[in-house]
Amino acid sequence: MAERVRVREIDDDEGRRLLRIIRRGTGSVVTWRRTQMILLSAQGLPVAKIVEVTFTSADRVRDVIHNFNADGFDSLYPKYKGGRPKTFTLPERREIAKSRPAEHGLPFSTWSLAKLADFLVAEGVVDDISHEGLRVLLREEGVSFQRLKTWKTSRDSDYAAKKARVEHLYAIADGEVIPEEGEPEVVFCMDEFGPLNLMPHPGRQWAERGGRHRDPKREPRPRRRATYTRPHGVRHLFAALDLAKDKLYGHIKPIKRRTQFLEFCRYLRTLYPPEVRIAIVCDNFSPHLTTKKCQRVGTWATTNNVEIAYTPTNSSWLNRIEAQFTALRYFTLDGTDHASHKEQGSMIRRYIIWRNHHADGRRLRALVDRANVA
């Protein structure tokens, strides 16, 4: 009679970690399949049923469960390596990844693969390297060819404390930390997006080929219209991301002042029972603050069991809602030219509905992960 194999008892933290691997697709396909087997076994399924669900062999399932019971999460990640050994040592790989033209007196602002490969050979860092091999090495060292962006250093005197508090709230939302008594159980990231103008936005789309390859019988491809006046005013999107549910909420308002901010906060408060403490992460925009002249924000938060957590000055990148705005701009606004705010607002609302139904979409997730700094 075959031995009855079951996974050891899993605590709450380990269960949340296993669920994150399944939900987010962390690691390789092998890791994902092994995690699936462990979760099925933890739910009480025998090996025979797990075999039917995962389309594998019984010996394979037993090996995965035995290894997890012995080695824990380390057993979920494959350790096999194939192919010939790597040609370059770790110091050589780092030298390749960190090299800059200006450091060597060369009149280039940046490297091309050809220039960098020739330079590394000439300097004796490597004996020989192909352009594709160099591309692979740079990718493995986390280096990619990208545009430079501006960065403003925060001079907030409470930078460390504010940053630590925001990161602690994120750890609670991600299930990495169990909230203590009196701490928020639900975390929202909130900010305004805009101003939303009625103007043609740059973007890409499918169009007929131009130049000498163009079909002479077809009309010229469309261009963006020029706007000299914009008499229709602007709108502002108040948006919040529920980190636990990975759900986006948004309201469009004609102005963004303290009254509108509190209206949106009251809406977020209604999403959970009053006894559930929530936290709202936002930046230091003046309508978000409690001042000597106006203490409405602080009074409302204290009365309604809410914590307002502020990011440090010039550190809005800590707010995870910013990455969602990148996706909103990419999927919905780029390449558009709306005739009215009603049309534009309708498209944004329909995007939010679509986004909440496709939060685990591969393309959406890749775009958000690339833009997310926090």
Side-chain angles (χ1 to χ4, degrees):
M1 184 174 179
E3 176 189 4
R4 181 173 175 81
V5 179
R6 289 193 62 177
V7 71
R8 61 174 173 78
E9 186 176 351
I10 296 175
D11 59 32
D12 292 341
D13 290 340
E14 290 177 327
R16 281 191 289 267
R17 185 175 173 184
L18 291 168
L19 288 174
R20 279 201 302 274
I21 295 175
I22 292 293
R23 187 173 67 246
R24 299 182 180 178
T26 306
S28 64
V29 175
V30 175
T31 301
W32 192 91
R33 287 178 60 83
R34 291 178 181 177
T35 306
Q36 184 186 28
M37 296 177 195
I38 296 300
L39 285 174
L40 291 173
S41 179
Q43 293 172 7
L45 266 68
V47 171
K49 289 293 185 182
I50 299 176
V51 169
E52 294 178 6
V53 174
T54 58
F55 301 101
T56 186
S57 65
D59 290 339
R60 174 67 172 161
V61 174
R62 292 190 182 94
D63 287 343
V64 169
I65 294 175
H66 281 309
N67 292 338
F68 183 81
N69 291 339
D71 301 327
F73 282 87
D74 291 339
S75 67
L76 299 179
Y77 299 94
K79 301 178 178 61
Y80 54 81
K81 295 181 179 180
R84 62 184 177 83
K86 295 185 180 298
T87 307
F88 306 107
T89 63
L90 184 59
E92 289 175 334
R93 293 161 65 88
R94 290 177 178 166
E95 184 74 18
I96 292 172
K98 294 190 300 182
S99 181
R100 295 290 184 273
E103 298 172 2
H104 307 283
L106 298 176
F108 311 126
S109 61
T110 186
W111 292 115
S112 66
L113 290 177
K115 289 185 176 66
L116 180 56
D118 293 342
F119 173 78
L120 293 174
V121 172
E123 291 293 311
V125 178
V126 296
D127 295 330
D128 189 24
I129 186 170
S130 66
H131 296 170
E132 185 59 30
L134 179 58
R135 191 199 311 275
V136 172
L137 284 173
L138 292 174
R139 186 186 301 119
E140 290 179 354
E141 291 296 328
V143 179
S144 62
F145 196 78
Q146 52 191 278
R147 295 179 181 178
L148 294 179
K149 299 181 179 180
T150 57
W151 182 266
K152 185 180 289 186
T153 303
S154 175
R155 297 184 180 180
D156 196 322
S157 57
D158 296 328
Y159 174 83
K162 291 180 179 179
K163 182 174 182 288
R165 181 55 184 168
V166 171
E167 291 178 338
H168 179 70
L169 292 175
Y170 289 165
I172 292 175
D174 294 339
E176 298 173 357
V177 173
I178 299 176
E180 299 178 0
E181 185 177 356
E183 282 196 315
E185 302 174 44
V186 177
V187 181
F188 289 97
C189 289
M190 181 267 169
D191 201 3
E192 296 87 7
F193 179 73
L196 297 169
N197 285 285
L198 293 182
M199 57 178 286
H201 295 274
R204 297 183 179 184
Q205 64 180 17
W206 294 102
E208 293 289 340
R209 298 178 66 180
R212 61 190 181 89
H213 300 289
R214 181 175 66 88
D215 186 345
K217 297 180 181 180
R218 293 187 179 272
E219 294 292 329
R221 58 184 177 183
R223 303 287 183 180
R224 284 196 295 148
R225 67 180 177 90
T227 52
Y228 302 101
T229 59
R230 298 172 190 165
H232 304 288
V234 299
R235 297 293 184 271
H236 303 274
L237 172 65
F238 286 77
L241 177 67
D242 187 336
L243 298 185
K245 296 181 178 178
D246 195 11
K247 192 172 183 180
L248 190 64
Y249 302 92
H251 289 173
I252 297 177
K253 303 286 186 180
I255 54 178
K256 53 175 184 178
R257 295 177 182 168
R258 190 169 281 110
T259 299
Q260 289 71 35
F261 170 69
L262 284 172
E263 286 176 358
F264 189 61
C265 288
R266 292 189 189 99
Y267 167 73
L268 297 179
R269 175 67 273 186
T270 63
L271 299 176
Y272 288 91
E275 61 272 12
V276 175
R277 185 167 177 79
I278 70 172
I280 300 176
V281 177
C282 55
D283 59 21
N284 293 274
F285 181 45
S286 57
H288 302 166
L289 304 176
T290 301
T291 64
K292 292 182 179 179
K293 291 185 178 180
C294 183
Q295 300 183 358
R296 286 189 293 163
V297 174
T299 302
W300 175 84
T302 303
T303 306
N304 291 275
N305 197 20
V306 176
E307 174 186 345
I308 307 291
Y310 297 102
T311 59
T313 306
N314 296 331
S315 298
S316 293
W317 51 268
L318 265 173
N319 197 332
R320 290 185 178 178
I321 192 68
E322 299 294 338
Q324 301 297 325
F325 290 157
T326 300
L328 168 64
R329 187 181 297 109
Y330 178 85
F331 285 109
T332 305
L333 295 181
D334 284 357
T336 62
D337 186 8
H338 297 290
S340 67
H341 284 297
K342 182 178 180 181
E343 178 186 337
Q344 186 181 61
S346 174
M347 193 164 185
I348 291 174
R349 294 185 189 95
R350 286 184 287 120
Y351 165 77
I352 292 175
I353 295 172
W354 174 88
R355 183 258 172 224
N356 289 336
H357 283 89
H358 300 82
D360 293 327
R362 182 182 60 84
R363 180 59 181 154
L364 176 63
R365 180 60 58 190
L367 190 66
V368 171
D369 289 345
R370 186 167 65 246
N372 201 0
V373 179

